Amino acid sequence: MSAGAGRGAAAGGVPTPCAAKVELRLSCRHLLDRDPLTKSDPSVVLLQQPTQGGWAQVGRTEVVRSTLNPVFSKVFTVDYYFEEVQRLRFEVYDTHGSSFSCQEDDFLGGMECTLGQIVAQKKMTRPLLLKVGRNAGKSSITVIAEDISGNNGYVELSFQARKLDDKDLFSKSDPFLELYRANEDGTEQLVYRTEVVRNNLSPVWEPFKLSLSSLCSCEETRPLKGLVWDYDSRGKHDFIGAFSTTFAEMQKAFGDGQAQWDCVNPKYQQKKRNYKNSGVVVLADLKLHRVHSFLDYIMGGCQIHCTVAIDFTASNGDPRNSCSLHHLSPHQPNEYLRALVAVGEVCQDYDSDKRFSALGFGARIPPKYEVSHDFAINFNPEDDECEGIQGVVEAYQNCLPQVQLYGPTNVAPIISKVARMAAAEEHTGEASQYYILLILTDGVVTDMADTREAIVRASHLPMSIIIVGVGNADFTDMQILDGDDGVLRSPRGEPALRDIVQFVPFRELKNASPAALAKCVLAEVPKQVVEYYSHKELPPRGQGALAGEASPSLAP
C-alpha cells in the first residue's frame, strides 16, 4: 500500500491509524519506607509524553494504605498504535495529600518505557529509579498489559428441537427460536431470531453466524436466554418454552456431546406436578472463529525482526559532497538516517534481542572492490546484525568511506535473502517471527522483473516490505510494486497472495516529524501480520484451538 491508502488521511498525507485499546494493571514490590511509624501509603501516577513537549498526566491509582508491596485495582485504559513510539512514565509516591497534585507526597521511584515494550512482553517488571538516576533500593514495578479491543471473532450456531408442545388445534406447531442476551442494566437484547419451520414439532433451524460482540458482548459468561414460539400470522405468537445458558456453557456442553436444554414453560411447571418440559432444544453445531488482532500475536510472543537495506549506488552522489544524499553532516542527519531511525525506533521494541540485520546494495566493496547487491554493512558476512538502531547508524557511518558507490539498483537479491529467513520461520508452524524489510533507495529499481518475482514469492511468507524513496527522483514506476492499483503479478503472470509492499516517497514527508514518518511507513504492518497468520490458520502462540473452534479469520 502506498502512503495514505486504505485509511483516512490527516494533514500532510499521514494516515489516520486505528487504535487498539490496552488495559494496564500495576503492582510494586519492596518499596522504600518513608513513614517513620507505619509503612508507606503508595500510589502510582501514569504520565505520557506527547509527540512534542513534556510529560502529561494520564491518571493516578488509588492509595493502598500501609504496604510496601501494593497491588493496585485501578486499571488504566490507553490507546495503542504500533506505528508510534508511545513513551510512558510511572511515578510511585508515598501519598500524604488528597489532591491530583503530588507536591505533598514523597517520591519513591519512577520508571520510563514505551507502550510497545510493555505489550511485546505482556508482563514487564523493571526496577524503580530515584530522580538522581540510582536504584530505589530493591524497589520494582510490574506492568501487565491486556488487549481489550473486543474484536475477537464470530460463532456459527445450529439449533434444532425435539418433541415441542403442539399449540395448534388442527395441525402441528410452527416453531421459531429467539436468542436474547442480558444487558448491564438488567434488560434483555434480542440477538437473533430463526426462521419459522412449518408444521413440525422437531424443527431443524438453519445455521447462522453471530459476532461474539453481538452474542455476548465478548463476555462468554454473560447470561443468554432462548425462547421458543409457535408462529401466528397475526403476531400473537404462542409461547412454547424457554431455556437459559451462557456461551461458555454452550462451548463446554458441545465439547462434551451434551449440548441440550429443557425447554420450560413456567406456567405449566407451576400447574402440573409431573411436568418435565415442553420439548428439548439441541445445539447441533458450534464453530468458533477467533479473529485475532495484531496485539494478540505480539502478546503471544511474536517477534518483529527488521532488516535494513541501504542503496549505495552512484546516483546518490559522492558522500564528500554536501549535495550527496549520503553526505554526513555534523549539523543534521541525511534522509537515509532520518528514515532509518524513525522506523527502527518503533520496530526495536518488538524484537527481544534488539538486533537489526543491516545490508547494502549497489556498491563496490573491499577487499576486491567487486560490485555487491547483498553485503553486510558491518563487513561481517557471518553476522550482519547490529546492536540496536544506533548500531545500524554507526555501521552505516563506518561503511560509507570504505565502499565505492556504483550500481545498478538491484534489490531482488536482498528480498530473496530475507525471504529465505522467513521461509525457515514458516516451517516452524508457529506465529513466532515476522520479518520487515526496509529498503532505502534513491531511484527506481533496475531489476524490476526479478524484483516482482521475488515479491510474489515473498507474499506467501511471514514478511512485509517497506520501500522509502529518498531524493527527488521520479518514482512513478515504483508504484508497480505497490498493490494499490491492482494485484502485483510476477513476469509469469502469477499474482501476489497478499499486498506486502508499501512505497513511501520521503520528499512527501520531508518536513514531518520522525513520528509522522514512522506512522506513514508502518501503518499497514499490523494488518499484513494478521492477514498472513489468518491465511495460514495460525493462532497466537499459547492459544490452541478450543473445542469446536475454527481457524482464525479476518472477518465473518
Side-chain angles (χ1 to χ4, degrees):
M1 301 286 287
S2 59
R7 3 173 135 233
V14 179
T16 304
C18 298
K21 295 285 186 185
V22 175
E23 284 186 345
L24 302 179
R25 291 174 166 80
L26 312 179
S27 62
C28 297
R29 297 278 295 168
H30 307 301
L31 293 178
L32 297 176
D33 192 355
R34 298 295 194 192
D35 290 350
L37 301 177
T38 61
K39 294 177 181 175
S40 294
D41 302 322
S43 65
V44 180
V45 175
L46 171 60
L47 303 105
Q48 188 163 11
Q49 189 176 45
T51 305
Q52 303 291 335
W55 295 95
Q57 185 164 327
V58 174
R60 187 170 189 162
T61 68
E62 79 280 12
V63 178
V64 181
R65 298 291 176 187
S66 193
T67 179
L68 304 183
N69 301 294
V71 177
F72 300 98
S73 63
K74 164 77 175 179
V75 176
F76 293 105
T77 302
V78 294
D79 290 337
Y80 162 81
Y81 301 92
F82 165 73
E83 59 271 23
E84 291 185 23
V85 177
Q86 296 173 267
R87 303 191 187 282
L88 303 177
R89 178 169 173 79
F90 300 86
E91 295 184 348
V92 186
Y93 290 91
D94 179 12
T95 311
H96 303 298
S98 56
S99 68
F100 199 61
S101 167
C102 305
Q103 292 179 353
E104 301 175 24
D105 304 334
D106 295 323
F107 181 65
L108 299 180
M111 184 271 285
E112 290 183 23
C113 62
T114 68
L115 185 55
Q117 290 169 337
I118 297 172
V119 301
Q121 297 181 44
K122 200 171 182 179
K123 178 179 180 181
M124 188 178 79
T125 299
R126 291 272 187 91
L128 290 172
L129 301 179
L130 299 174
K131 288 182 178 176
V132 292
R134 59 185 174 86
N135 283 5
K138 295 182 179 179
S139 301
S140 65
I141 185 168
T142 297
V143 187
I144 298 174
E146 181 181 0
D147 177 19
I148 57 163
S149 302
N151 178 22
N152 61 347
Y154 67 101
V155 64
E156 292 183 67
L157 299 172
S158 177
F159 284 96
Q160 58 191 48
R162 293 198 297 263
K163 299 181 180 179
L164 294 177
D165 284 354
D166 192 352
K167 296 291 186 179
D168 292 346
L169 192 58
F170 300 108
S171 64
K172 296 176 182 177
S173 295
D174 306 317
F176 67 94
L177 169 68
E178 291 181 329
L179 274 181
Y180 288 81
R181 74 158 189 260
N183 292 326
E184 298 285 354
D185 59 3
T187 60
E188 295 180 337
Q189 174 68 50
L190 176 67
V191 294
Y192 191 78
R193 180 183 292 123
T194 70
E195 78 285 2
V196 176
V197 178
R198 300 282 182 180
N199 197 32
N200 196 325
L201 300 182
S202 296
V204 177
W205 291 291
E206 290 290 329
F208 57 92
K209 296 179 182 179
L210 286 172
S211 71
L212 290 187
S213 178
S214 296
L215 177 64
C216 57
S217 301
C218 298
E219 298 174 16
E220 298 189 4
T221 56
R222 184 177 286 257
L224 302 175
K225 181 182 288 186
L227 304 180
V228 182
W229 302 87
D230 174 26
Y231 176 79
D232 180 83
S233 60
R234 296 165 298 173
K236 296 181 179 179
H237 310 307
D238 292 321
F239 178 63
I240 295 177
F243 65 94
S244 297
T245 185
T246 66
F247 183 54
E249 183 185 278
M250 281 185 185
Q251 292 178 87
K252 185 178 187 307
F254 184 76
D256 295 340
Q258 300 175 348
Q260 64 179 48
W261 296 267
D262 286 336
C263 188
V264 176
N265 187 322
K267 287 185 179 179
Y268 293 169
Q269 197 173 35
Q270 290 176 0
K271 291 180 180 178
K272 299 180 180 180
R273 178 177 298 177
N274 297 322
Y275 175 80
K276 183 178 180 182
N277 59 47
S278 294
V280 175
V281 175
V282 179
L283 178 60
D285 197 15
L286 182 155
K287 290 190 179 77
L288 177 58
H289 299 255
R290 292 289 186 188
V291 180
H292 299 296
S293 69
F294 175 70
L295 268 181
D296 289 334
Y297 287 104
I298 293 298
M299 289 181 161
C302 182
Q303 301 278 301
I304 303 291
H305 181 79
C306 189
T307 297
V308 179
I310 301 173
D311 182 339
F312 287 97
T313 56
S315 53
N316 285 281
D318 188 337
R320 294 170 295 185
N321 189 321
S322 61
C323 296
S324 169
L325 292 169
H326 278 306
H327 180 65
L328 297 177
S329 166
H331 306 296
Q332 62 179 14
N334 62 35
E335 291 185 13
Y336 281 97
L337 284 172
R338 286 180 60 191
L340 171 64
V341 172
V343 176
E345 283 198 338
V346 173
C347 292
Q348 67 183 357
D349 284 343
Y350 301 90
D351 192 350
S352 58
D353 65 7
K354 309 289 187 253
R355 290 170 64 84
F356 289 76
S357 292
L359 307 172
F361 59 92
R364 285 175 165 171
I365 63 171
K368 296 182 179 180
Y369 285 91
E370 295 174 338
V371 176
S372 174
H373 300 292
D374 171 14
F375 65 91
I377 66 172
N378 63 3
F379 299 113
N380 182 356
E382 303 301 320
D383 183 7
D384 59 25
E385 292 189 332
C386 302
E387 293 288 345
I389 197 63
Q390 190 55 39
V392 179
V393 170
E394 291 171 2
Y396 165 72
Q397 292 169 334
N398 293 333
C399 172
L400 264 178
Q402 301 183 59
V403 300
Q404 180 185 348
L405 305 193
Y406 204 71
T409 309
N410 291 351
V411 299
I414 280 178
I415 294 174
S416 297
K417 178 171 185 173
V418 176
R420 286 192 293 272
M421 292 190 292
E425 173 60 29
E426 182 187 33
H427 294 315
T428 66
E430 284 192 320
S432 55
Q433 187 108 336
Y434 193 89
Y435 293 82
I436 294 176
L437 171 58
L438 171 64
I439 300 174
L440 307 173
T441 180
D442 81 320
V444 176
V445 299
T446 310
D447 60 340
M448 185 62 77
D450 288 344
T451 297
R452 285 164 55 199
E453 181 73 36
I455 291 171
V456 169
R457 289 200 303 269
S459 70
H460 294 261
L461 300 171
M463 68 179 285
S464 296
I465 301 169
I466 298 163
I467 304 173
V468 178
V470 300
N472 296 313
D474 181 1
F475 291 111
T476 305
D477 289 347
M478 296 293 276
Q479 303 296 343
I480 296 171
L481 305 178
D482 199 299
D484 287 349
D485 300 323
V487 177
L488 176 71
R489 292 181 180 272
S490 73
R492 298 177 291 107
E494 180 187 353
L497 177 66
R498 302 179 294 126
D499 176 13
I500 64 168
V501 176
Q502 179 159 340
F503 173 72
V504 181
F506 186 84
R507 60 173 171 262
E508 292 184 6
L509 292 156
K510 201 167 186 176
N511 298 319
S513 67
L517 174 63
K519 274 188 193 181
C520 198
V521 169
L522 294 169
E524 296 298 326
V525 169
K527 178 171 75 92
Q528 292 169 352
V529 170
V530 172
E531 281 179 343
Y532 172 76
Y533 289 122
S534 296
H535 175 75
K536 292 293 183 181
E537 300 184 354
L538 291 175
R541 295 171 75 188
Q543 293 189 23
L546 301 173
E549 182 170 338
S551 61
S553 173
L554 277 174

